[in-house]
Amino acid sequence: MNSTLQFTVSRKHLILILLLILAVTVGLTVYSGREPAESREPGNLTFTEVEAVKSIPLSEFDPNELDASQWMALGFSDKQTATILKYKQVVGGAFTSKEQFKKCYAVSDSRFEELEPYLLLPEKEKSTYRTSAYSYRHVSTFSPAKKTLSIPGKFNPDTYSQRDWEKLGFSERQAAAILKYRSYLGGSFISKEKFRDCFIISDDNYRKLEPYLILPSTAVAAPVANESGKSFARSDNKGSQAKISVFDPNLLDVQGWIGLGFSEKQANVIMNYRNRILKGSFRSKGDIKNCFVISEQKFAELEPFINLNPENIGKRNGSAGSPSQISGPATDFSKVDINEITAEQLVEFGFDERVARNYVSFRKKLGGFAVKNQVFESYDIDRELAQKLIDISPLNLSKVERYTLIEAPESWLKTHPYFRYSADKIIYYRLSNSDEKKIWKLVNAKPEYQAKMKLYLK
């Protein structure tokens, strides 16, 4: 009796164990049948391509006045833009200095290096004031209240000056940036489409301005001129398209070049190039082609109609740039040192006055150019014209300031364009290290930045 009972109990235990094993096996089978997302084959994954950000010319701007679309136009992603705008709210609704802007983690060091020269912010915070709620907020001289646009009627933005843009409702900095963008385009916005590409002009402001802009929606053919320099419109109708007449480039004045489709600024550069650089006359078609404001496409269009009359070579008409209007002899730039050239001489060479001042200011901050290619780093400089300058003019290095890493004055390190971002590290590490190689290793600057700094070290 006892043995039978014992057998029955053992059988029940065995059955329970088998059922438990079966349940675990079924559960594992069901679980393993569900394919986790991370185990899927790579072939099933899909990726969304992000459209490359369009490259735009940078100019001075106040980061406090940019909206989301304008930050994205500068090359930031949706998430980065949202982070920047959120960070701005966290710091009190406005960036008060470059130093503060740099701390935004969405702005990488390399991106800050690129944007820093164009930020209309002080290097460090200026001052604070106390609000009625007994909290402190920072005061920024570059955070004016936003103005409402006051549009008087239809207007041509190509004719607007700095003052005109300010009257329209833009800040002084914004107006300057718009004019720089227009200059970048060759002196004319060309079309509403190009005008809209100016990142300073928000989508909202463009919608307000668009009905009043006296510009074609898209680019149209430029006017051309006859031999006398009088302009006439180029027809878009097939069969009735006007042709450029034969002309002598040595007889054209500013209006004559404008009649050929150049802007007033371009025409003045061509006249200056002819009268200053070429001593008054184009002597070959190659001379015309070498003028940096004449593109290869434009030269190809004009070349069949160019007639260089030998009798006119060496003569100048009474137009702008004639001897009666030029004071003193033309400068021989082959004898002018790149480290000594003045702003007036740069303007004579063909640079814009503001660009010339930027050149001189940048050279002064560096303590002189150490290599010719540094000229290209001058803000807003025209690379083609700068290339012509460094090809023609010599570079004297005798007055360039140079120090050892150990002896360099702290003030020099902190203000020099190449050293200022590493100045604190250099000053700290050289206190306990006299080996420059070890200091470089500790500073850990990028190779390209080290190369620039070493230009000014003994």
Side-chain angles (χ1 to χ4, degrees):
M1 179 67 179
N2 290 337
S3 60
T4 303
L5 181 61
Q6 186 176 5
F7 174 76
T8 302
V9 173
S10 299
R11 186 169 59 179
K12 286 182 179 180
H13 287 170
L14 179 61
I15 291 171
L16 287 173
I17 292 171
L18 290 174
L19 287 174
L20 182 61
I21 293 172
L22 181 61
V24 171
T25 304
V26 171
L28 289 173
T29 303
V30 171
Y31 179 77
S32 62
R34 296 178 181 175
E35 184 182 14
E38 58 271 21
S39 66
R40 292 172 188 165
E41 293 181 2
N44 295 330
L45 296 175
T46 58
F47 297 89
T48 302
E49 292 186 3
V50 179
E51 183 180 356
V53 177
K54 181 179 178 183
S55 177
I56 61 171
L58 286 173
S59 55
E60 292 179 343
F61 68 96
D62 184 349
N64 291 310
E65 297 180 351
L66 268 57
D67 58 22
S69 62
Q70 290 170 309
W71 281 113
M72 292 175 69
L74 282 173
F76 292 95
S77 67
D78 290 341
K79 289 185 178 180
Q80 289 172 325
T81 297
T83 301
I84 293 171
L85 294 176
K86 186 175 181 180
Y87 175 68
K88 185 174 77 170
Q89 295 305 316
V90 170
V91 297
F95 298 112
T96 57
S97 66
K98 293 180 181 179
E99 183 180 48
Q100 185 188 67
F101 177 76
K102 185 180 181 182
K103 292 178 182 178
C104 180
Y105 73 87
V107 183
S108 64
D109 289 343
S110 59
R111 195 73 176 116
F112 179 77
E113 290 271 357
E114 182 182 352
L115 294 176
E116 189 269 338
Y118 309 101
L119 293 173
L120 295 175
L121 291 173
E123 295 292 334
K124 295 185 177 180
E125 296 171 2
K126 297 294 183 183
S127 59
T128 60
Y129 69 90
R130 193 162 185 153
T131 66
S132 58
Y134 301 101
S135 62
Y136 288 93
R137 293 187 62 190
H138 298 286
V139 178
S140 173
T141 57
F142 297 107
S143 300
K146 290 187 177 180
K147 299 179 182 178
T148 303
L149 294 185
S150 176
I151 308 171
K154 288 187 177 292
F155 68 98
N156 185 347
D158 287 346
T159 64
Y160 262 36
S161 64
Q162 171 91 17
R163 187 175 180 183
D164 292 328
W165 287 111
E166 290 176 21
K167 284 183 178 179
L168 201 58
F170 291 94
S171 68
E172 181 182 351
R173 313 290 191 184
Q174 290 175 320
I178 292 170
L179 293 177
K180 283 183 183 178
Y181 175 72
R182 187 177 71 188
S183 175
Y184 168 82
L185 293 176
S188 171
F189 287 108
I190 305 170
S191 65
K192 291 180 180 179
E193 187 178 43
K194 289 289 185 183
F195 179 83
R196 186 174 189 174
D197 286 342
C198 181
F199 82 94
I200 282 294
I201 299 171
S202 65
D203 290 341
D204 183 49
N205 281 341
Y206 175 76
R207 283 192 293 271
K208 294 176 183 177
L209 292 170
E210 192 271 336
Y212 303 97
L213 295 174
I214 303 176
L215 286 174
S217 296
T218 56
V220 296
V224 296
N226 57 21
E227 188 174 2
S228 64
K230 294 181 179 179
S231 62
F232 55 89
R234 179 175 293 170
S235 172
D236 292 328
N237 299 325
K238 293 181 180 179
S240 61
Q241 186 175 10
K243 295 182 179 179
I244 304 174
S245 300
V246 174
F247 66 95
D248 188 338
N250 287 320
L251 297 181
L252 289 182
D253 57 9
V254 171
Q255 291 303 317
W257 289 107
I258 292 174
L260 287 172
F262 295 95
S263 68
E264 183 179 354
K265 180 179 178 181
Q266 290 172 322
N268 281 314
V269 170
I270 294 171
M271 291 293 294
N272 195 44
Y273 171 71
R274 185 187 72 186
N275 295 329
R276 294 289 192 181
I277 308 301
L278 300 179
K279 305 298 192 296
S281 299
F282 294 107
R283 289 172 171 75
S284 67
K285 291 183 178 180
D287 286 344
I288 301 171
K289 186 178 182 179
N290 288 336
C291 183
F292 82 98
V293 297
I294 302 176
S295 66
E296 291 185 7
Q297 182 182 359
K298 189 65 176 177
F299 178 76
E301 180 186 350
L302 296 176
E303 184 181 14
F305 306 98
I306 297 173
N307 177 28
L308 286 164
N309 188 339
E311 295 181 1
N312 294 326
I313 294 177
K315 297 180 181 179
R316 301 189 204 176
N317 56 15
S319 60
S322 63
S324 61
Q325 293 175 307
I326 299 176
S327 58
T331 302
D332 183 357
F333 288 96
S334 65
K335 297 179 180 178
V336 179
D337 177 18
I338 287 176
N339 275 331
E340 296 290 339
I341 192 169
T342 64
E344 290 75 17
Q345 289 172 322
L346 289 166
V347 171
E348 179 185 338
F349 193 80
F351 290 103
D352 178 84
E353 287 186 10
R354 182 162 184 168
V355 171
R357 290 196 298 270
N358 290 340
Y359 174 105
V360 174
S361 175
F362 180 59
R363 184 183 64 194
K364 183 178 179 181
K365 289 178 181 178
L366 289 173
F369 294 120
V371 291
K372 285 188 174 183
N373 282 346
Q374 288 176 284
V375 171
F376 294 123
E377 297 178 37
S378 181
Y379 175 63
D380 209 23
I381 198 165
D382 185 284
R383 294 187 66 86
E384 292 186 43
L385 192 57
Q387 184 63 56
K388 293 181 186 295
L389 176 66
I390 66 177
D391 287 344
I392 295 171
S393 300
L395 175 64
N396 185 350
L397 304 178
S398 61
K399 296 182 180 180
V400 177
E401 295 178 332
R402 286 190 172 94
Y403 300 94
T404 64
L405 208 56
I406 304 298
E407 298 172 349
E410 290 188 11
S411 60
W412 183 80
L413 288 170
K414 289 183 176 181
T415 57
H416 195 285
Y418 291 168
F419 288 87
R420 58 183 179 178
Y421 295 111
S422 301
D424 290 338
K425 289 183 179 180
I426 293 171
I427 293 168
Y428 175 76
Y429 288 124
R430 72 182 184 181
L431 290 174
S432 56
N433 294 280
S434 57
D435 185 350
E436 291 197 1
K437 289 183 179 179
K438 190 170 183 180
I439 295 174
W440 280 122
K441 187 175 181 180
L442 292 169
V443 170
N444 195 29
K446 293 181 179 179
E448 57 268 30
Y449 297 154
Q450 280 196 31
K452 286 186 175 183
M453 288 187 271
K454 287 180 178 179
L455 292 173
Y456 292 88
L457 294 176
K458 294 180 180 178

